[in-house]
Amino acid sequence: MDAIYYDLGAALPEIFVLSMAMLILLLDLFLKPANRNLIYIFSQATLLGAAAITYFNHTPGVGYSFNGMFVSDTFSDLTKLMIYISISATLVYTRSYIALRGMFRGEFYALVLFSLLGMMILVSGQHFLTLYMGLELLSLSLYALVALDRDNPTATEAAIKYFVLGALASGMLLYGMSMIYGATGSLNLAEVSNALLGGAHYHAILVLGLVFIVAGLAFKLGAVPFQMWLPDVYQGAPTAVTILIGSATKIAAFAFVIRLLVQGLYVLAHDWQGMLVIMAVLSISIGSVTAIAQTNLKRMFAYSTIAHIGYLLYGLMSASINGYASAMLYIAAYALMSLGGFGMILLLSRKGFEAENLDDLKGLNQRNPWYAFLMLIMMFSMAGIPPTLGFYAKFAVLQAALQAGYLWVVVFGVLMATVGAYYYLRIVKLVYFDEPQDHSPIVASFDMKVILSLNGLALLYFGLMPQTLMDLCSKAILLSLQ
């Protein structure tokens, strides 16, 4: 009986989120359209409640539950808190947007919470089946969210592409997992790791399984050569969904990589490091160069995401504690930057008008100097210009790769960062030096103004004082992965 209480206690945040998602679905049936704000309040309360449970449940040790299928450690708790914050900001940014487009329904909020549940299971998965279950719950929720605006043919096309390619990636992951199981005799990450430490049996099968797993992970992250879905889905999905795909899900995908490659397959690091180096270099090259040619803002952010994932891989491929901590800092910085960038698109959009093109940003400084300043901070951070968090995060992953001996890769990364700076600084030029094409006032709710301002200022604050975040990431990695 004590074991059952312990298991349920460890998964209490997940149980709470599941219960609230079901409650919101039921509540939506009985609410009049005028009272649907209650659903938004319930969703935010769910995130706040889950954060409180995660915080008060936290212990510095590593605890396993459900026969070792689920793990609760500092890494999972910190990652979940980052996801809660990211989704909470997403809901604030998207409230007006979905209300004006007829999507302010219980389905939207319930699907967001189900995707959150998938992310939480992914973050705490300690078994191939648990990880796969979390991944599928997250993926299925996202497919439905992309297609939520069902009268929009672009969104429907994006959802179909996302579903087909996502199913292919899931198949590759499963195939890879089955090969690892065949070679080690276990699906539990700790047992897989112990079996690999015991001796490299069936090395060819293990490496082949690893190739399929890395391919599946690359798809979920959006790394080259599995990046083809990202620009179409970013552009085709409603911006309210794109912001979710571009922020919180990337944090969960990072945790998924850490669980699989670092905790389960660390013995094969020599094999996966080589694959990550190739993917990192290609992602930075293709993402940075292709983004220059884009005139659609969402599409440009998609290609810049591919480049950012390349830099994230710099931290992971170093296969060291410092490298994992710097990669964790990088994904936190990326989530903040992505939230701010898409938040600005949502702010400038209104009913019948999507601020998706670069020209829509022209003369923003003349329309509202404060939003222009926030956009400046976000673009500087994405480009890696000091004193922003993006600069420090890029510096940390490059330093980790240099310490691991990847000198030429680091030099290449620095050179490509200067190429990438071009398309971010082009936006700054449009904002400050071009005449506005649109003179309409920018209308936003009070909470959106506050969160967007905090979002932009956080990039500046943590850029000036990054040590707090870096220490948190290092502590989480040290306490959980050693």
Side-chain angles (χ1 to χ4, degrees), residues 20 80 132 159 189 239 258 313 344 450 466:
M20 291 299 286
K80 283 176 192 174
Y132 188 72
L189 292 182
T239 311
I258 290 287
L313 294 178
M344 196 60 75
V450 171

Side-chain angles (χ1 to χ4, degrees), residues 23 87 129 156 165 180 297 407:
L23 178 67
I87 293 185
L129 290 182
T156 311
L165 292 172
I180 300 291
L297 200 51
L407 178 62

Side-chain angles (χ1 to χ4, degrees), residues 183-195:
T184 61
S186 178
L187 292 171
N188 185 288
L189 292 182
E191 290 172 12
V192 166
S193 182
N194 289 334

